[in-house]
Amino acid sequence: MAARFPFLILGLSVLVCFASASKSHEDAKDELGFSYLGSSGPQKWGSLNPQYALCAKGKTQSPINIVTDDVVKNSKLKPLVRNYHSTNATLINNGFNIGMKFNPDVGTLSIDGKDYALLQMHWHTPSEHQIDGEQFPAELHLVHMGPDHGSLAVVSILFKYGGSDPVLNKLKDELEELGKEKCQKDEEARIPVDKVNIKYLRKTNKKFYRYVGSLTTPPCSENIMWNILTRVRTISKEQVELLEAPLDSADKKNCRPVQSLNGRKVELYKKSDDDDDEDD
């Protein structure tokens, strides 16, 4: 998951470049100096900046490999209730991720009676989380903030190759515009998008995994509630290429390696023993 909440979508509009001086801390990847390859890659993150120390020293880091034989079914877990609405937002390329920041009225995720506001979503290719050692072509992170404005909850959706993803279908023109890379290296590209419909992402899921982890990019902050949906959706190879095309060459494969569990347990929510993974 990108640092803190780094992303923030109108029909196709003009791409706008913003100098790094106007970026927030979490967006200024070039200024803060991390990448996914070489001397600034994931194995070196902890030594790049004192603020990144948890990337090397943290004990509850993400992503992880979920071993299905080891997960613990928790009957006390409640379903994820996502109440999202159509809204305006902004599609962003910050060099190491393609993401979308939403307007405040986009909706909430309800967990155990607490509402978390949806802030942004972003993609990783290939996936960061793995299931029984299998890495998938893509992963989508939906990032939510709790009412205390300090806690974060992430819903993760994994993708395998197959039919095209309907959300990315709607963003094809904008992603192609981002791929033209008109901005300079130290600039962030943004494209407004009108009335984004993410109804497809708000379905109730009958099964998901939960564990406590971290952000998957610097500063690797911990105590993040992760919810990984068990149902793997489909994405086309063309869509994966569209997500990778605008990114810096060292960041097109923007997945952090899996981290040690260090004794953590992954819990499973399952509606009933007779249910499959299909959405309601």
Side-chain angles (χ1 to χ4, degrees), residues 105-126:
D105 60 349
V106 67
T108 60
L109 165 71
S110 180
I111 300 178
D112 299 329
K114 182 188 291 187
D115 286 341
Y116 290 75
L118 178 61
L119 299 178
Q120 55 99 337
M121 66 185 189
H122 60 270
W123 291 265
H124 292 270
T125 57

Side-chain angles (χ1 to χ4, degrees), residues 77-81 109-112 204-205 208 210 269 271:
L77 291 180
K78 300 186 183 303
L80 300 173
V81 180
L109 165 71
S110 180
I111 300 178
D112 299 329
T204 301
N205 295 91
F208 63 86
R210 176 173 293 168
Y269 167 81
K271 188 173 181 180

Side-chain angles (χ1 to χ4, degrees), residues 63 74 89 115 117 124 134 140 154-155 160-161 166 171 231 236 243 249:
N74 186 346
D115 286 341
H124 292 270
E134 180 180 1
L140 174 64
V154 184
V155 173
K160 61 185 176 182
Y161 283 128
L171 299 175
R231 183 187 180 193
S236 70
L243 290 171
S249 59

Side-chain angles (χ1 to χ4, degrees), residues 134-153:
E134 180 180 1
Q135 188 172 35
F136 298 86
E139 181 173 349
L140 174 64
H141 294 164
L142 293 103
V143 184
H144 308 75
M145 178 183 283
D148 57 359
H149 297 284
S151 57
L152 291 178

Side-chain angles (χ1 to χ4, degrees), residues 55-76:
C55 299
K57 299 178 180 180
K59 299 301 182 183
T60 58
Q61 290 288 293
S62 297
I64 61 171
N65 173 41
I66 297 173
V67 179
T68 55
D69 285 345
D70 293 340
V71 301
V72 178
K73 185 177 179 181
N74 186 346
S75 60
K76 295 182 179 180

Side-chain angles (χ1 to χ4, degrees), residues 30 165 189 196 223:
D30 287 320
D165 173 61
V196 181
N223 295 318

Side-chain angles (χ1 to χ4, degrees), residues 3-188:
R4 295 188 61 187
F5 11 92
F7 291 110
L8 301 175
I9 187 177
L10 320 181
L12 183 60
S13 185
V14 177
L15 178 148
V16 180
C17 298
F18 290 84
S20 60
S22 68
K23 293 181 184 179
S24 61
H25 168 83
E26 63 269 18
D27 288 333
K29 173 260 188 183
D30 287 320
E31 293 177 1
L32 298 180
F34 74 88
S35 72
Y36 287 88
L37 286 177
S39 61
S40 59
Q43 305 304 330
K44 303 293 185 180
W45 286 353
S47 61
L48 294 176
N49 187 309
Q51 298 177 38
Y52 298 172
L54 280 174
C55 299
K57 299 178 180 180
K59 299 301 182 183
T60 58
Q61 290 288 293
S62 297
I64 61 171
N65 173 41
I66 297 173
V67 179
T68 55
D69 285 345
D70 293 340
V71 301
V72 178
K73 185 177 179 181
N74 186 346
S75 60
K76 295 182 179 180
L77 291 180
K78 300 186 183 303
L80 300 173
V81 180
R82 286 167 284 164
N83 186 23
Y84 303 150
H85 314 286
S86 297
T87 187
N88 295 343
T90 305
L91 189 68
I92 296 177
N93 169 21
N94 65 12
F96 69 99
N97 251 329
I98 302 299
M100 187 179 296
K101 182 175 180 180
F102 296 104
N103 283 0
D105 60 349
V106 67
T108 60
L109 165 71
S110 180
I111 300 178
D112 299 329
K114 182 188 291 187
D115 286 341
Y116 290 75
L118 178 61
L119 299 178
Q120 55 99 337
M121 66 185 189
H122 60 270
W123 291 265
H124 292 270
T125 57
S127 73
E128 298 201 296
H129 287 90
Q130 299 180 19
I131 307 294
D132 291 328
E134 180 180 1
Q135 188 172 35
F136 298 86
E139 181 173 349
L140 174 64
H141 294 164
L142 293 103
V143 184
H144 308 75
M145 178 183 283
D148 57 359
H149 297 284
S151 57
L152 291 178
V154 184
V155 173
S156 168
I157 301 175
L158 300 168
F159 292 86
K160 61 185 176 182
Y161 283 128
S164 60
D165 173 61
V167 173
L168 289 172
N169 278 342
K170 301 292 185 181
L171 299 175
K172 184 175 185 295
D173 291 342
E174 288 86 348
L175 287 169
E176 289 178 343
E177 184 69 17
L178 282 179
K180 295 177 181 178
E181 298 184 4
K182 294 180 179 178
C183 296
Q184 300 299 315
K185 182 176 178 59
D186 60 348
E187 294 178 328
E188 177 183 89

